[in-house]
Amino acid sequence: MRPIAIAIPDPTRASLFGLPYWLIVAVGAVALFGAFQAYYWIGFKLGDKLYESRFGRKLPRERIRAVERVVEKWGALAVYACFWVPVLRHTLPWVAGALRISYPWYVVASALGCLTWVPVTSFALYSVIWGWLQLATHSPVAAAVAAVLGVSAVTGFVMWRRRRKSEKALAA
């Protein structure tokens, strides 16, 4: 069962396509930074027309308003925080452009977000996968139990959040 361990190298010696893993992560951070700048300028140029676009129609209007309130309240700090919140990460950059928040502050916040979020998530995910594969090479049963516990924990969390959200909706 050793071939599995060879497929994913030790995180301290990792490489992909012959390049060190840290370089792949750095390129990913630069690419994400570029995407965030493009999303800002798309939102800036289109303004309110963006909400009537095909993408804007897919999102509920109240969700966009919630993102607008976050941007108006927190400004550039919301841009940094959006990296750590999945829904905000995908909608906030173009909303920030449509609301025309200060671009210099947006650049600083998005750069800091890319420099922290990309390495943390990349190396953490890589390390979890590597650790699980190491466990699988030594004890496939323990790896299966760990996988079932992980999936159960995520499922339980999602169900708890949905239940809490529906209870709030009923109370309102």
Side-chain angles (χ1 to χ4, degrees):
M1 290 199 214
R2 287 308 249 175
I4 292 174
I6 294 170
I8 304 277
D10 180 344
T12 60
R13 294 183 299 249
S15 69
L16 189 63
F17 306 119
L19 298 171
Y21 191 62
W22 66 265
L23 182 60
I24 302 294
V25 171
V27 169
V30 169
L32 183 62
F33 178 76
F36 260 60
Q37 304 319 300
Y39 296 151
Y40 176 89
W41 287 109
I42 289 169
F44 187 89
K45 295 291 182 190
L46 295 178
D48 287 338
K49 292 180 213 166
L50 187 62
Y51 301 123
E52 281 77 41
S53 71
R54 187 175 57 174
F55 177 72
R57 286 191 305 261
K58 287 183 181 180
L59 286 174
R61 192 68 174 161
E62 54 275 356
R63 182 169 288 175
I64 293 174
R65 285 195 191 102
V67 173
E68 285 177 344
R69 286 192 297 274
V70 168
V71 171
E72 288 169 351
K73 181 176 182 180
W74 296 98
L77 189 58
V79 174
Y80 175 77
C82 84
F83 283 91
W84 306 96
V85 182
V87 173
L88 285 179
R89 184 173 50 246
H90 302 290
T91 57
L92 190 132
W94 58 269
V95 170
L99 293 176
R100 291 168 167 59
I101 70 165
S102 169
Y103 185 67
W105 282 111
Y106 178 85
V107 169
V108 169
S110 59
L112 289 174
C114 289
L115 289 174
T116 56
W117 182 79
V118 171
V120 167
T121 56
S122 298
F123 287 116
L125 181 62
Y126 188 92
S127 296
V128 166
I129 292 169
W130 182 80
W132 185 84
L133 288 173
Q134 291 299 309
L135 180 61
T137 60
H138 297 331
S139 174
V141 173
V145 169
V148 167
L149 288 174
V151 169
S152 298
V154 170
T155 303
F157 178 74
V158 168
M159 290 173 60
W160 173 76
R161 290 279 310 248
R162 287 182 179 171
R163 189 175 327 116
R164 200 173 110 208
K165 188 175 179 180
S166 67
E167 288 172 357
K168 281 184 181 180
L170 289 175

